[in-house]
Amino acid sequence: MSDILTVDGLRAAFGSREVVHGIGFRVGHGRAVGLVGETGSGKSVTVRSVLGLIRPPGRVTAGSAMFDGTDLLKLPPRQMRRIRGDRIGFIAQNPFGALNPILSIRKQFHIAMRAHRKISKEESYEAALIGLRSVGVAGPERVLAGHAHELSGGMAQRVVIALVMSMDPTLIVADEPTTALDLTVQRQVLDLIDGLIRDTGRSMLLITHDLGVVAQYCQDVVVMNAGTVVESGTVADVFGAPEHPYTQQLLAASAETPAAKPSEDPHVVA
Ligand SMILES: Nc1ncnc2c1ncn2[C@@H]1O[C@H](COP(=O)(O)OP(=O)(O)OP(=O)(O)O)[C@@H](O)[C@H]1O
Ligand SMILES: [Mg+2]
């Protein structure tokens, strides 16, 4: 199996405090990989480092992140931005962070699509309508005419997913894309991303603390603890016969919490 992304020896620090201690993992072509670990274990810092999104005093101090033959960690910021907008789609926890508060949603689709191909306003509008419908947005004309602040959290995350998909990325990186949403919407959004990946042979790196989500949506899993990768492999192998005590603990804790199940009450947030 060839990889779309191979991370090796990645170290990241905030000031003099190292928080990611030389980790490695891979994302295969057409694979969905879950990155799990308790809060503070370094999941977000890892993906932000790989995507060139870490801000001072944070910095990457060592390692490589090979994406399709290019080491992302060595790219100048401008080229990294280009790859991020074009070949790697990033869906963060908070959709509003990815949307511009001043520009109409229509304009944001146009800018996203124009970044990598010649496209007229009419063409980008038509493509945005199709994209929004594909992520279950009813009345996409109204959404496109409006601004981010008029959207609910679930709707905003759908808009972000449609925006990311409009760039036709090879790899989708999602950092807890649903934790800000209520449980029923969480499932809908995950099903949506899942469908978009399955139909197209794209790859995904999905950060979550919900092992049930990994079991349902991923083929491979990487387990992080305190800035190191303690175990990785197929979900069947790792969840079926966890070798590391930390993974065993995580699985035991997850079996005790019913939180992975969809709730009756749509207002309960996990
Ligand atoms: N901007 C920052 N400044 C200083 N330290 C930071 C910053 N961001 C993260 N850290 C530290 O880096 C470590 C890893 O944090 P990270 O956000 O990657 O954890 P995480 O696994 O994503 O946790 P969560 O599940 O809560 O999102 C933590 O100890 C955190 O305190
Ligand atoms: Mg995080």
Side-chain angles (χ1 to χ4, degrees), residues 30-151:
R31 307 284 286 187
V33 180
L35 180 57
V36 303
E38 67 198 15
T39 184
S41 56
K43 305 179 297 294
S44 295
V45 170
T46 296
V47 300
R48 289 188 166 272
S49 298
V50 168
L51 298 178
L53 290 171
I54 198 143
R55 298 274 166 264
R59 73 209 149 88
V60 174
T61 56
S64 61
M66 299 305 295
F67 174 75
D68 212 12
T70 304
D71 186 355
L72 299 178
L73 302 185
K74 294 204 167 59
L75 282 185
R78 210 163 59 96
Q79 280 184 41
M80 186 61 234
R81 262 202 306 279
R82 208 185 151 81
I83 288 194
R84 218 167 45 229
D86 196 358
R87 315 232 12 238
I88 304 178
F90 181 52
I91 303 168
Q93 182 170 347
N94 173 10
F96 294 103
L99 296 172
N100 186 311
I102 298 164
L103 301 178
S104 71
I105 302 296
R106 174 180 181 162
K107 179 92 189 167
Q108 294 182 59
F109 270 93
H110 182 66
I111 291 170
M113 293 185 209
R114 193 189 58 190
H116 61 284
R117 66 188 136 119
K118 238 178 131 54
I119 191 164
S120 70
K121 282 183 182 161
E122 292 70 29
E123 285 166 336
S124 67
Y125 183 69
E126 289 305 320
L129 285 178
I130 293 168
L132 285 173
R133 284 197 194 103
S134 79
V135 296
V137 172
E141 295 85 356
R142 274 216 356 239
V143 169
L144 286 174
H147 289 75
H149 67 86
E150 295 162 63
L151 302 169

Side-chain angles (χ1 to χ4, degrees), residues 116-233:
H116 61 284
R117 66 188 136 119
K118 238 178 131 54
I119 191 164
S120 70
K121 282 183 182 161
E122 292 70 29
E123 285 166 336
S124 67
Y125 183 69
E126 289 305 320
L129 285 178
I130 293 168
L132 285 173
R133 284 197 194 103
S134 79
V135 296
V137 172
E141 295 85 356
R142 274 216 356 239
V143 169
L144 286 174
H147 289 75
H149 67 86
E150 295 162 63
L151 302 169
S152 68
M155 202 54 85
Q157 195 60 294
R158 281 162 200 262
V159 168
V160 170
I161 292 168
L163 260 171
V164 165
M165 292 302 168
S166 78
M167 306 178 211
D168 194 22
T170 316
L171 170 68
I172 292 159
V173 178
D175 188 352
E176 312 230 23
T178 60
T179 36
L181 312 176
D182 69 50
L183 280 177
T184 42
V185 181
Q186 279 187 33
R187 289 281 151 180
Q188 287 168 10
V189 169
L190 285 168
D191 285 339
L192 194 74
I193 301 176
D194 184 50
L196 292 166
I197 290 165
R198 267 169 213 269
D199 295 348
T200 55
R202 293 176 172 119
S203 309
M204 170 166 74
L205 179 61
L206 173 67
I207 299 182
T208 176
H209 52 253
D210 188 336
L211 302 191
V213 162
V214 175
Q216 187 176 347
Y217 296 98
C218 301
Q219 294 91 48
D220 301 311
V221 63
V222 177
V223 183
M224 279 189 77
N225 180 31
T228 63
V229 168
V230 296
E231 192 163 359
S232 62

Side-chain angles (χ1 to χ4, degrees), residues 228-253:
T228 63
V229 168
V230 296
E231 192 163 359
S232 62
T234 66
V235 169
D237 284 349
V238 173
F239 285 9
E243 280 174 7
H244 196 279
Y246 177 74
T247 315
Q248 293 165 1
Q249 249 178 55
L250 265 189
L251 282 163

